[in-house]
Amino acid sequence: MQFKPFLLLLAVVAAQDDAFFECPESNGFFPDPEQCDKYYECVNKVPETKFCSDGLLFEASDPNNELCDYPFNVDCGAREFVQEPEPGLDIKCYRANGFFNHEDPLICNKYYNCVHGFPHAYECPPPLVFDEAQGTCVREEQASSFAKKCEKSDVKEEIEGFSCPDGETLGPNGQPLAHPSFPHPTSCRKYLTCYFSKDLNELGCTEGLVFDDRSNTCVPPEEGPKDCKCWYECDPKSDCPDSCNTDCSCS
């Protein structure tokens, strides 16, 4: 559907609506002519007024199907009104149900999925941005005019002096890695992963293991890089069993 703002309509008494609505068929589910989240269930030509849950709209293409769906899946046509939002909603939720922009105008890759008024936070994988009109993460060139526009920072994120390298990182088979990992500058247990070669994250192996950048896995110290063999403890037979370096050498 074409994304557009809806006009709020104060709720009216359902019994009054039933009296004015004429069922087009004996049985089925039929849309209100003006309000997109309101519909009628007709049984033997007798209508009963119904409303979709707050934030959802009535999908009117099949009178045999009672379906309320998200706005980006529903063509409302001339039905431009909707009910008032539920009172007392979390500030992150415009409506009790739906996918909504992050509250920070400078953040374009995060959003909320509100379910029964409770916001669940999500983040788009880089380089995607959230488009509220489409209810999903898209590339910037695919975003609608309703998607937020955020300025890009030229400053690369760093963790202890490390930043994701420019361009592709090739794996052992010569193929580009989607999420390459690198040794941590100061820790044998930790490692750094560049999701989509851009989004820098610090991760770690479980206790007792070290990161091996040759296999991109966590391994026992004796199977890992030479400079990490004594990361956890020194060899008791060492000349410096209490003060060895991570590569087992003595200072």
Side-chain angles (χ1 to χ4, degrees), residues 4-12 34-37 54-55 57 79-86 89 94-95:
K4 63 180 181 180
F6 289 93
L7 303 177
L8 296 178
L9 183 67
L10 293 174
V12 292
E34 296 181 340
Q35 190 169 339
C36 199
D37 56 0
D54 181 31
L57 304 175
R79 298 177 292 151
E80 59 180 340
F81 295 99
V82 292
Q83 61 189 302
E84 291 275 358
E86 287 184 12
L89 291 175
Y94 315 155
R95 294 276 180 172

PDB file of all heavy atoms in Angstrom, residues 4-12 34-37 54-55 57 79-86 89 94-95:
ATOM      1  N   LYS A   4       0.658   6.438   4.135  1.00  0.00           N
ATOM      2  CA  LYS A   4       0.140   7.796   4.329  1.00  0.00           C
ATOM      3  C   LYS A   4      -0.369   7.906   5.756  1.00  0.00           C
ATOM      4  O   LYS A   4      -0.754   6.913   6.372  1.00  0.00           O
ATOM      5  CB  LYS A   4      -0.988   8.103   3.344  1.00  0.00           C
ATOM      6  CG  LYS A   4      -2.219   7.210   3.495  1.00  0.00           C
ATOM      7  CD  LYS A   4      -3.287   7.573   2.495  1.00  0.00           C
ATOM      8  CE  LYS A   4      -4.530   6.677   2.663  1.00  0.00           C
ATOM      9  NZ  LYS A   4      -5.577   7.023   1.693  1.00  0.00           N
ATOM     10  N   PRO A   5      -0.368   9.113   6.310  1.00  0.00           N
ATOM     11  CA  PRO A   5      -0.894   9.273   7.660  1.00  0.00           C
ATOM     12  C   PRO A   5      -2.402   9.085   7.670  1.00  0.00           C
ATOM     13  O   PRO A   5      -3.093   9.405   6.707  1.00  0.00           O
ATOM     14  CB  PRO A   5      -0.506  10.717   8.009  1.00  0.00           C
ATOM     15  CG  PRO A   5      -0.338  11.402   6.703  1.00  0.00           C
ATOM     16  CD  PRO A   5       0.163  10.360   5.742  1.00  0.00           C
ATOM     17  N   PHE A   6      -2.931   8.537   8.766  1.00  0.00           N
ATOM     18  CA  PHE A   6      -4.361   8.335   8.897  1.00  0.00           C
ATOM     19  C   PHE A   6      -4.943   9.401   9.809  1.00  0.00           C
ATOM     20  O   PHE A   6      -4.278   9.952  10.670  1.00  0.00           O
ATOM     21  CB  PHE A   6      -4.653   6.946   9.470  1.00  0.00           C
ATOM     22  CG  PHE A   6      -4.363   5.830   8.512  1.00  0.00           C
ATOM     23  CD1 PHE A   6      -3.126   5.192   8.517  1.00  0.00           C
ATOM     24  CD2 PHE A   6      -5.315   5.427   7.597  1.00  0.00           C
ATOM     25  CE1 PHE A   6      -2.860   4.172   7.639  1.00  0.00           C
ATOM     26  CE2 PHE A   6      -5.057   4.393   6.713  1.00  0.00           C
ATOM     27  CZ  PHE A   6      -3.830   3.769   6.734  1.00  0.00           C
ATOM     28  N   LEU A   7      -6.217   9.675   9.623  1.00  0.00           N
ATOM     29  CA  LEU A   7      -6.924  10.630  10.463  1.00  0.00           C
ATOM     30  C   LEU A   7      -7.584   9.885  11.604  1.00  0.00           C
ATOM     31  O   LEU A   7      -8.176   8.822  11.418  1.00  0.00           O
ATOM     32  CB  LEU A   7      -7.984  11.373   9.643  1.00  0.00           C
ATOM     33  CG  LEU A   7      -7.463  12.129   8.403  1.00  0.00           C
ATOM     34  CD1 LEU A   7      -8.623  12.763   7.652  1.00  0.00           C
ATOM     35  CD2 LEU A   7      -6.466  13.196   8.822  1.00  0.00           C
ATOM     36  N   LEU A   8      -7.455  10.438  12.810  1.00  0.00           N
ATOM     37  CA  LEU A   8      -8.054   9.805  13.974  1.00  0.00           C
ATOM     38  C   LEU A   8      -9.551  10.011  13.970  1.00  0.00           C
ATOM     39  O   LEU A   8     -10.060  11.065  13.594  1.00  0.00           O
ATOM     40  CB  LEU A   8      -7.460  10.381  15.259  1.00  0.00           C
ATOM     41  CG  LEU A   8      -5.963  10.138  15.474  1.00  0.00           C
ATOM     42  CD1 LEU A   8      -5.530  10.807  16.772  1.00  0.00           C
ATOM     43  CD2 LEU A   8      -5.655   8.656  15.505  1.00  0.00           C
ATOM     44  N   LEU A   9     -10.260   8.989  14.380  1.00  0.00           N
ATOM     45  CA  LEU A   9     -11.708   9.052  14.439  1.00  0.00           C
ATOM     46  C   LEU A   9     -12.152   8.598  15.816  1.00  0.00           C
ATOM     47  O   LEU A   9     -11.828   7.492  16.244  1.00  0.00           O
ATOM     48  CB  LEU A   9     -12.335   8.146  13.365  1.00  0.00           C
ATOM     49  CG  LEU A   9     -13.867   8.154  13.262  1.00  0.00           C
ATOM     50  CD1 LEU A   9     -14.347   9.514  12.770  1.00  0.00           C
ATOM     51  CD2 LEU A   9     -14.343   7.053  12.333  1.00  0.00           C
ATOM     52  N   LEU A  10     -12.871   9.447  16.523  1.00  0.00           N
ATOM     53  CA  LEU A  10     -13.351   9.064  17.836  1.00  0.00           C
ATOM     54  C   LEU A  10     -14.330   7.912  17.708  1.00  0.00           C
ATOM     55  O   LEU A  10     -15.153   7.866  16.799  1.00  0.00           O
ATOM     56  CB  LEU A  10     -14.036  10.255  18.514  1.00  0.00           C
ATOM     57  CG  LEU A  10     -13.110  11.425  18.893  1.00  0.00           C
ATOM     58  CD1 LEU A  10     -13.946  12.586  19.427  1.00  0.00           C
ATOM     59  CD2 LEU A  10     -12.089  10.987  19.924  1.00  0.00           C
ATOM     60  N   ALA A  11     -14.210   6.949  18.624  1.00  0.00           N
ATOM     61  CA  ALA A  11     -15.071   5.774  18.577  1.00  0.00           C
ATOM     62  C   ALA A  11     -16.527   6.176  18.811  1.00  0.00           C
ATOM     63  O   ALA A  11     -16.847   7.042  19.616  1.00  0.00           O
ATOM     64  CB  ALA A  11     -14.638   4.769  19.635  1.00  0.00           C
ATOM     65  N   VAL A  12     -17.426   5.549  18.076  1.00  0.00           N
ATOM     66  CA  VAL A  12     -18.858   5.771  18.257  1.00  0.00           C
ATOM     67  C   VAL A  12     -19.476   4.473  18.756  1.00  0.00           C
ATOM     68  O   VAL A  12     -18.875   3.409  18.698  1.00  0.00           O
ATOM     69  CB  VAL A  12     -19.531   6.213  16.941  1.00  0.00           C
ATOM     70  CG1 VAL A  12     -19.061   7.590  16.542  1.00  0.00           C
ATOM     71  CG2 VAL A  12     -19.255   5.208  15.824  1.00  0.00           C
ATOM     72  N   GLU A  34     -15.374   4.135   5.733  1.00  0.00           N
ATOM     73  CA  GLU A  34     -14.526   5.279   6.055  1.00  0.00           C
ATOM     74  C   GLU A  34     -13.345   4.942   6.963  1.00  0.00           C
ATOM     75  O   GLU A  34     -12.306   5.574   6.886  1.00  0.00           O
ATOM     76  CB  GLU A  34     -15.365   6.380   6.727  1.00  0.00           C
ATOM     77  CG  GLU A  34     -16.446   6.968   5.842  1.00  0.00           C
ATOM     78  CD  GLU A  34     -17.216   8.063   6.547  1.00  0.00           C
ATOM     79  OE1 GLU A  34     -17.169   8.095   7.801  1.00  0.00           O
ATOM     80  OE2 GLU A  34     -17.848   8.883   5.857  1.00  0.00           O
ATOM     81  N   GLN A  35     -13.491   3.947   7.822  1.00  0.00           N
ATOM     82  CA  GLN A  35     -12.488   3.674   8.858  1.00  0.00           C
ATOM     83  C   GLN A  35     -11.769   2.363   8.548  1.00  0.00           C
ATOM     84  O   GLN A  35     -12.386   1.305   8.444  1.00  0.00           O
ATOM     85  CB  GLN A  35     -13.159   3.606  10.233  1.00  0.00           C
ATOM     86  CG  GLN A  35     -12.172   3.556  11.381  1.00  0.00           C
ATOM     87  CD  GLN A  35     -12.858   3.752  12.722  1.00  0.00           C
ATOM     88  OE1 GLN A  35     -13.956   4.288  12.794  1.00  0.00           O
ATOM     89  NE2 GLN A  35     -12.210   3.319  13.793  1.00  0.00           N
ATOM     90  N   CYS A  36     -10.438   2.419   8.444  1.00  0.00           N
ATOM     91  CA  CYS A  36      -9.688   1.271   7.949  1.00  0.00           C
ATOM     92  C   CYS A  36      -9.449   0.190   8.994  1.00  0.00           C
ATOM     93  O   CYS A  36      -9.125  -0.942   8.637  1.00  0.00           O
ATOM     94  CB  CYS A  36      -8.347   1.727   7.365  1.00  0.00           C
ATOM     95  SG  CYS A  36      -7.590   0.510   6.270  1.00  0.00           S
ATOM     96  N   ASP A  37      -9.593   0.494  10.261  1.00  0.00           N
ATOM     97  CA  ASP A  37      -9.409  -0.537  11.276  1.00  0.00           C
ATOM     98  C   ASP A  37     -10.737  -1.025  11.850  1.00  0.00           C
ATOM     99  O   ASP A  37     -10.788  -1.665  12.896  1.00  0.00           O
ATOM    100  CB  ASP A  37      -8.497  -0.049  12.404  1.00  0.00           C
ATOM    101  CG  ASP A  37      -8.990   1.236  13.051  1.00  0.00           C
ATOM    102  OD1 ASP A  37     -10.036   1.758  12.631  1.00  0.00           O
ATOM    103  OD2 ASP A  37      -8.313   1.729  13.980  1.00  0.00           O
ATOM    104  N   ASP A  54      -5.368  -2.236  18.149  1.00  0.00           N
ATOM    105  CA  ASP A  54      -4.752  -0.935  17.898  1.00  0.00           C
ATOM    106  C   ASP A  54      -3.453  -1.072  17.106  1.00  0.00           C
ATOM    107  O   ASP A  54      -2.538  -1.794  17.512  1.00  0.00           O
ATOM    108  CB  ASP A  54      -4.481  -0.249  19.230  1.00  0.00           C
ATOM    109  CG  ASP A  54      -3.858   1.119  19.060  1.00  0.00           C
ATOM    110  OD1 ASP A  54      -4.135   1.786  18.055  1.00  0.00           O
ATOM    111  OD2 ASP A  54      -3.074   1.524  19.949  1.00  0.00           O
ATOM    112  N   GLY A  55      -3.376  -0.384  15.967  1.00  0.00           N
ATOM    113  CA  GLY A  55      -2.191  -0.429  15.121  1.00  0.00           C
ATOM    114  C   GLY A  55      -2.357  -1.309  13.901  1.00  0.00           C
ATOM    115  O   GLY A  55      -1.591  -1.191  12.944  1.00  0.00           O
ATOM    116  N   LEU A  57      -4.852  -2.951  10.695  1.00  0.00           N
ATOM    117  CA  LEU A  57      -5.902  -2.502   9.784  1.00  0.00           C
ATOM    118  C   LEU A  57      -6.603  -3.706   9.171  1.00  0.00           C
ATOM    119  O   LEU A  57      -6.011  -4.778   9.027  1.00  0.00           O
ATOM    120  CB  LEU A  57      -5.306  -1.614   8.689  1.00  0.00           C
ATOM    121  CG  LEU A  57      -4.520  -0.390   9.175  1.00  0.00           C
ATOM    122  CD1 LEU A  57      -3.884   0.327   7.998  1.00  0.00           C
ATOM    123  CD2 LEU A  57      -5.416   0.560   9.967  1.00  0.00           C
ATOM    124  N   ARG A  79     -10.554   4.509   2.768  1.00  0.00           N
ATOM    125  CA  ARG A  79     -10.817   4.377   4.218  1.00  0.00           C
ATOM    126  C   ARG A  79      -9.681   5.053   4.988  1.00  0.00           C
ATOM    127  O   ARG A  79      -8.721   4.422   5.402  1.00  0.00           O
ATOM    128  CB  ARG A  79     -10.924   2.896   4.595  1.00  0.00           C
ATOM    129  CG  ARG A  79     -12.054   2.155   3.917  1.00  0.00           C
ATOM    130  CD  ARG A  79     -12.052   0.669   4.300  1.00  0.00           C
ATOM    131  NE  ARG A  79     -10.890  -0.033   3.754  1.00  0.00           N
ATOM    132  CZ  ARG A  79     -10.331  -1.098   4.315  1.00  0.00           C
ATOM    133  NH1 ARG A  79     -10.801  -1.571   5.456  1.00  0.00           N
ATOM    134  NH2 ARG A  79      -9.293  -1.698   3.750  1.00  0.00           N
ATOM    135  N   GLU A  80      -9.792   6.342   5.191  1.00  0.00           N
ATOM    136  CA  GLU A  80      -8.664   7.117   5.690  1.00  0.00           C
ATOM    137  C   GLU A  80      -8.671   7.347   7.193  1.00  0.00           C
ATOM    138  O   GLU A  80      -7.743   7.947   7.740  1.00  0.00           O
ATOM    139  CB  GLU A  80      -8.622   8.476   4.984  1.00  0.00           C
ATOM    140  CG  GLU A  80      -9.872   9.315   5.177  1.00  0.00           C
ATOM    141  CD  GLU A  80      -9.782  10.658   4.465  1.00  0.00           C
ATOM    142  OE1 GLU A  80      -8.654  11.080   4.166  1.00  0.00           O
ATOM    143  OE2 GLU A  80     -10.831  11.268   4.223  1.00  0.00           O
ATOM    144  N   PHE A  81      -9.690   6.877   7.908  1.00  0.00           N
ATOM    145  CA  PHE A  81      -9.748   7.109   9.353  1.00  0.00           C
ATOM    146  C   PHE A  81      -9.321   5.855  10.109  1.00  0.00           C
ATOM    147  O   PHE A  81      -9.433   4.734   9.612  1.00  0.00           O
ATOM    148  CB  PHE A  81     -11.170   7.493   9.777  1.00  0.00           C
ATOM    149  CG  PHE A  81     -11.635   8.811   9.215  1.00  0.00           C
ATOM    150  CD1 PHE A  81     -12.456   8.849   8.087  1.00  0.00           C
ATOM    151  CD2 PHE A  81     -11.266  10.003   9.805  1.00  0.00           C
ATOM    152  CE1 PHE A  81     -12.889  10.055   7.563  1.00  0.00           C
ATOM    153  CE2 PHE A  81     -11.687  11.212   9.289  1.00  0.00           C
ATOM    154  CZ  PHE A  81     -12.496  11.233   8.162  1.00  0.00           C
ATOM    155  N   VAL A  82      -8.839   6.067  11.342  1.00  0.00           N
ATOM    156  CA  VAL A  82      -8.536   4.976  12.265  1.00  0.00           C
ATOM    157  C   VAL A  82      -8.961   5.388  13.665  1.00  0.00           C
ATOM    158  O   VAL A  82      -9.178   6.569  13.939  1.00  0.00           O
ATOM    159  CB  VAL A  82      -7.029   4.617  12.263  1.00  0.00           C
ATOM    160  CG1 VAL A  82      -6.604   3.998  10.956  1.00  0.00           C
ATOM    161  CG2 VAL A  82      -6.177   5.834  12.603  1.00  0.00           C
ATOM    162  N   GLN A  83      -9.060   4.420  14.549  1.00  0.00           N
ATOM    163  CA  GLN A  83      -9.453   4.704  15.920  1.00  0.00           C
ATOM    164  C   GLN A  83      -8.327   5.406  16.674  1.00  0.00           C
ATOM    165  O   GLN A  83      -7.173   5.394  16.264  1.00  0.00           O
ATOM    166  CB  GLN A  83      -9.826   3.399  16.627  1.00  0.00           C
ATOM    167  CG  GLN A  83      -8.685   2.389  16.702  1.00  0.00           C
ATOM    168  CD  GLN A  83      -9.126   1.036  17.202  1.00  0.00           C
ATOM    169  OE1 GLN A  83      -9.664   0.930  18.300  1.00  0.00           O
ATOM    170  NE2 GLN A  83      -8.905  -0.004  16.411  1.00  0.00           N
ATOM    171  N   GLU A  84      -8.671   5.991  17.798  1.00  0.00           N
ATOM    172  CA  GLU A  84      -7.680   6.635  18.658  1.00  0.00           C
ATOM    173  C   GLU A  84      -6.715   5.584  19.200  1.00  0.00           C
ATOM    174  O   GLU A  84      -7.098   4.440  19.435  1.00  0.00           O
ATOM    175  CB  GLU A  84      -8.379   7.323  19.831  1.00  0.00           C
ATOM    176  CG  GLU A  84      -9.202   8.542  19.442  1.00  0.00           C
ATOM    177  CD  GLU A  84      -8.363   9.799  19.377  1.00  0.00           C
ATOM    178  OE1 GLU A  84      -7.154   9.716  19.666  1.00  0.00           O
ATOM    179  OE2 GLU A  84      -8.914  10.850  19.037  1.00  0.00           O
ATOM    180  N   PRO A  85      -5.422   5.949  19.425  1.00  0.00           N
ATOM    181  CA  PRO A  85      -4.484   5.000  20.029  1.00  0.00           C
ATOM    182  C   PRO A  85      -4.924   4.620  21.438  1.00  0.00           C
ATOM    183  O   PRO A  85      -5.606   5.374  22.126  1.00  0.00           O
ATOM    184  CB  PRO A  85      -3.161   5.774  20.068  1.00  0.00           C
ATOM    185  CG  PRO A  85      -3.325   6.886  19.083  1.00  0.00           C
ATOM    186  CD  PRO A  85      -4.780   7.228  19.077  1.00  0.00           C
ATOM    187  N   GLU A  86      -4.519   3.430  21.855  1.00  0.00           N
ATOM    188  CA  GLU A  86      -4.804   3.017  23.223  1.00  0.00           C
ATOM    189  C   GLU A  86      -4.149   3.983  24.205  1.00  0.00           C
ATOM    190  O   GLU A  86      -3.032   4.445  23.977  1.00  0.00           O
ATOM    191  CB  GLU A  86      -4.267   1.603  23.486  1.00  0.00           C
ATOM    192  CG  GLU A  86      -5.061   0.493  22.833  1.00  0.00           C
ATOM    193  CD  GLU A  86      -4.530  -0.881  23.213  1.00  0.00           C
ATOM    194  OE1 GLU A  86      -3.703  -0.938  24.153  1.00  0.00           O
ATOM    195  OE2 GLU A  86      -4.939  -1.868  22.581  1.00  0.00           O
ATOM    196  N   LEU A  89       0.187   4.053  26.455  1.00  0.00           N
ATOM    197  CA  LEU A  89       1.200   3.284  25.733  1.00  0.00           C
ATOM    198  C   LEU A  89       2.607   3.737  26.103  1.00  0.00           C
ATOM    199  O   LEU A  89       2.831   4.889  26.490  1.00  0.00           O
ATOM    200  CB  LEU A  89       1.006   3.439  24.222  1.00  0.00           C
ATOM    201  CG  LEU A  89      -0.237   2.801  23.602  1.00  0.00           C
ATOM    202  CD1 LEU A  89      -0.322   3.150  22.128  1.00  0.00           C
ATOM    203  CD2 LEU A  89      -0.224   1.292  23.781  1.00  0.00           C
ATOM    204  N   TYR A  94       3.895   4.169  18.988  1.00  0.00           N
ATOM    205  CA  TYR A  94       2.824   5.072  18.569  1.00  0.00           C
ATOM    206  C   TYR A  94       1.479   4.381  18.752  1.00  0.00           C
ATOM    207  O   TYR A  94       0.467   5.019  19.040  1.00  0.00           O
ATOM    208  CB  TYR A  94       2.943   5.453  17.097  1.00  0.00           C
ATOM    209  CG  TYR A  94       4.306   5.828  16.591  1.00  0.00           C
ATOM    210  CD1 TYR A  94       4.624   5.688  15.246  1.00  0.00           C
ATOM    211  CD2 TYR A  94       5.296   6.327  17.433  1.00  0.00           C
ATOM    212  CE1 TYR A  94       5.869   6.034  14.751  1.00  0.00           C
ATOM    213  CE2 TYR A  94       6.547   6.676  16.952  1.00  0.00           C
ATOM    214  CZ  TYR A  94       6.821   6.518  15.606  1.00  0.00           C
ATOM    215  OH  TYR A  94       8.059   6.856  15.123  1.00  0.00           O
ATOM    216  N   ARG A  95       1.494   3.074  18.506  1.00  0.00           N
ATOM    217  CA  ARG A  95       0.308   2.235  18.613  1.00  0.00           C
ATOM    218  C   ARG A  95       0.662   0.984  19.414  1.00  0.00           C
ATOM    219  O   ARG A  95       1.831   0.659  19.600  1.00  0.00           O
ATOM    220  CB  ARG A  95      -0.176   1.831  17.218  1.00  0.00           C
ATOM    221  CG  ARG A  95      -0.682   2.993  16.368  1.00  0.00           C
ATOM    222  CD  ARG A  95      -2.123   3.278  16.711  1.00  0.00           C
ATOM    223  NE  ARG A  95      -2.665   4.389  15.938  1.00  0.00           N
ATOM    224  CZ  ARG A  95      -3.952   4.722  15.957  1.00  0.00           C
ATOM    225  NH1 ARG A  95      -4.805   4.014  16.681  1.00  0.00           N
ATOM    226  NH2 ARG A  95      -4.383   5.748  15.276  1.00  0.00           N
TER     227      ARG A  95
END
